[in-house]
């Protein structure tokens, strides 16, 4: 049965677009995955325009959430969107806000995130920069279920990215994004097919 997914994104939207390309435009991914809507918490975030251009049939919605004081309203309206589109999964693709413990506990194993490091290393913001500045020789990408603990939910899959001596912050960012675009669709397909720890 098709699984309806809502994507949450805050910024550039390369991961959101990659998922839309795979599951909606080119349909090279699993036909079981239906992207019902994309929600951004940032007004004017590039992701909104990109989705509107690439896939005009997918609703691209702005739902404000800038400061913590807006979280309760954001989550309540998001629950309305989840009901409206009968969403089975919430896919975080560069969503840079924290969801409350109360919200997350309503959707166990239904919220999936991608993080640009090999968790548990370099949690939080600016993970690529932190890895580059620390001087690790290998970093990577982690796809995991979201729990109330930040960047600490059960891991679905990881991809290693080697940091060469010749790498700059920019070249490393490009490598990490390439790895993200490679593994996120596959990780989502695998998780939604129930092949990984899943309470379905
Ligand atoms: C991605 O690198 C993603 O892993 C990261 O934000 C970037 C969004 O890029 N997410 C986090 O850091 C979450 N903690 P995109 O907007 O081009 O997809």
């Amino acid at each position: 049965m098709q699984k309806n997914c809502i994507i949450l994104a805050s910024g550039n939207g390369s991961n959101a677009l990659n998922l839309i390309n795979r599951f909606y435009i080119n349909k090279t991914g699993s036909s079981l995955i239906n992207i019902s809507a994309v929600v951004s918490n940032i007004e004017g975030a590039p992701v909104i325009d990109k989705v509107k251009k690439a896939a005009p049939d997918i609703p691209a919605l702005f739902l404000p959430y800038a400061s913590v004081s807006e979280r309760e309203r954001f989550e309540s309206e998001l629950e309305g969107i989840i009901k409206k589109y009968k969403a089975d999964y919430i896919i975080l693709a560069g969503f840079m806000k924290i969801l409350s413990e109360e919200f997350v506990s309503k959707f166990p194993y239904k919220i999936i995130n991608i993080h640009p490091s090999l968790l548990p290393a370099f949690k939080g913001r600016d993970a690529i920069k932190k890895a580059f500045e620390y001087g690790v020789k290998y970093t990577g990408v982690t796809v995991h279920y979201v729990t109330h603990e930040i960047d600490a939910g059960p891991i679905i899959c990881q991809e290693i990215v080697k940091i060469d001596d010749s790498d700059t912050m920019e070249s490393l960012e490009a490598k990490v994004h390439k790895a993200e675009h490679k593994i996120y669709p596959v990780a989502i397909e695998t998780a939604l097919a129930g092949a990984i720890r899943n309470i379905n």
Side-chain angles (χ1 to χ4, degrees), residues 19-148:
L19 296 174
I20 287 172
N21 271 323
R22 174 126 173 173
F23 297 121
Y24 179 80
I25 297 173
N26 298 322
K27 294 192 186 341
T28 47
S30 167
S31 58
L32 295 176
I33 294 166
N34 175 49
I35 297 173
S36 306
V38 177
V39 174
S40 179
N41 63 311
I42 302 289
E43 191 167 22
V47 62
I48 296 275
D49 257 8
K50 287 182 184 174
V51 173
K52 283 185 177 164
K53 276 197 192 106
D57 292 343
I58 298 180
L61 314 167
F62 162 54
L63 195 55
Y65 171 13
S67 66
V68 160
S69 62
E70 295 176 289
R71 181 160 72 189
E72 208 176 313
R73 184 206 27 78
F74 173 85
E75 290 179 344
S76 145
E77 288 184 29
L78 182 60
E79 279 189 50
I81 293 172
I82 289 166
K83 282 201 185 97
K84 178 174 173 187
Y85 291 102
K86 298 184 171 56
D88 301 294
Y89 285 86
I90 301 156
I91 308 291
L92 310 188
F95 180 66
M96 302 309 281
K97 285 286 168 196
I98 293 166
L99 295 166
S100 71
E101 187 168 349
E102 194 192 350
F103 181 87
V104 168
S105 66
K106 288 181 189 169
F107 304 99
Y109 290 92
K110 299 295 181 199
I111 311 176
I112 296 175
N113 183 41
I114 187 158
H115 184 78
S117 76
L118 289 177
L119 290 173
F122 307 118
K123 293 179 180 178
R125 281 178 179 263
D126 299 322
I128 305 175
K129 188 164 176 261
K130 285 177 191 162
F132 184 72
E133 288 178 351
Y134 194 94
V136 292
K137 300 296 179 193
Y138 292 89
T139 184
V141 174
T142 303
V143 179
H144 65 96
Y145 289 111
V146 173
T147 59
H148 65 277

Side-chain angles (χ1 to χ4, degrees), residues 128 132 163-175:
I128 305 175
F132 184 72
I163 305 181
D164 296 313
D165 291 344
S166 57
D167 269 322
T168 59
M169 218 355 244
E170 291 67 37
S171 67
L172 179 59
E173 261 174 1
K175 280 174 162 180

